[in-house]
Amino acid sequence: MSDRAEPIELTLTYEAGAWHAAGAGVAVSHPELARLDELLIEAFRVEGRARRVHVRFDRTALPPWLRQYQSHYFNYVLRIDE
């Protein structure tokens, strides 16, 4: 059995002046993306296990003409070390 957990998938949106990440039983919000990441680390930290959280921007929140240019900027993997 591996000591690494399966990747977690979250959906990222931006609304009403704040970033929102939700999925896997967690929902956090904050106006600053860096602080949102800190909240996610707190929510998913499990002692003795590294985790990978795949954060995917909900591109349907962007105007259609902008989707082809912007959505990839907000997709990232947040690594939470042991």
Side-chain angles (χ1 to χ4, degrees), residues 9-71:
E9 296 279 338
L10 299 181
T11 301
L12 179 68
T13 58
Y14 187 83
E15 185 178 352
W19 294 99
H20 308 274
V26 170
V28 295
S29 300
H30 200 276
E32 297 177 17
L33 192 55
R35 179 64 182 131
L36 183 83
D37 285 350
E38 291 171 4
L39 294 171
L40 290 172
I41 289 168
E42 290 172 19
F44 288 111
R45 178 165 280 142
V46 175
E47 290 204 26
R49 296 185 82 178
R51 312 212 63 167
R52 291 176 52 163
V53 179
H54 294 251
V55 183
R56 309 276 187 232
F57 188 73
D58 178 6
R59 67 185 202 98
T60 63
L62 295 171
W65 61 270
L66 193 58
R67 291 179 191 160
Q68 64 181 326
Y69 302 108
Q70 300 295 318
S71 64

